[in-house]
Amino acid sequence: QVQLVESGGGLVQPGGSLRLSCAASGFSFRGYRLSWSRQAPGKERELVASMTVTGDRTDYDISVKGRFTISRDNDQNTVYLQMNSLKPEDTAVYYCSAERGLYENRVFYRGRGTQVTVSS
């Protein structure tokens, strides 16, 4: 059974840090593009960070650039999101996803999310 399970969310004060993890089972991360997205209450889901199959390129939304870092460990079948200098506007449910292929060959998996709340 294919599964992505996020962990590491919680309540943190502004300026604090959290490290999210996303562990995959039922398939291997190798060959997949990986990403993190988030959805705040009343807002659409937005992509915050992504990484290519080989990990040689990462992209970030302008709102998190310089504060968040995506990384992957193919051996552990895990993707991470290091979040520093957190702001209240970072409060959202964070989702990891894995994707490969295009069009009719596209395969896409997404986890159920982990809540991150930034508040004093």
Side-chain angles (χ1 to χ4, degrees):
Q1 181 183 1
V2 170
Q3 218 174 2
L4 291 176
V5 179
E6 300 94 340
S7 61
L11 173 64
V12 63
Q13 291 187 343
S17 298
L18 281 175
R19 189 194 195 203
L20 305 183
S21 300
C22 173
S25 59
F27 74 106
S28 171
F29 267 164
R30 298 181 193 276
Y32 282 78
R33 302 181 293 277
L34 303 176
S35 62
W36 287 92
S37 58
R38 66 186 180 187
Q39 187 167 21
K43 295 187 177 181
E44 293 188 356
R45 184 179 290 119
E46 62 176 354
L47 181 66
V48 296
S50 62
M51 173 175 277
T52 54
V53 171
T54 57
D56 62 338
R57 175 175 171 172
T58 56
D59 290 294
Y60 299 92
D61 184 82
I62 189 66
S63 65
V64 307
K65 200 167 187 177
R67 300 188 297 122
F68 289 11
T69 303
I70 186 173
S71 61
R72 64 192 293 166
D73 185 334
N74 286 338
D75 291 335
Q76 296 295 322
N77 232 21
T78 302
V79 60
Y80 304 96
L81 186 68
Q82 178 67 44
M83 306 186 297
N84 299 328
S85 302
L86 283 162
K87 305 175 181 180
E89 51 264 43
D90 294 319
T91 295
V93 177
Y94 284 72
Y95 302 88
C96 69
S97 61
E99 179 180 11
R100 68 174 170 85
L102 295 171
Y103 308 116
E104 66 274 10
N105 296 317
R106 181 176 182 251
V107 176
F108 180 83
Y109 303 118
R110 183 164 55 219
R112 302 184 72 171
T114 184
Q115 175 70 46
V116 171
T117 303
V118 185
S119 175
S120 55

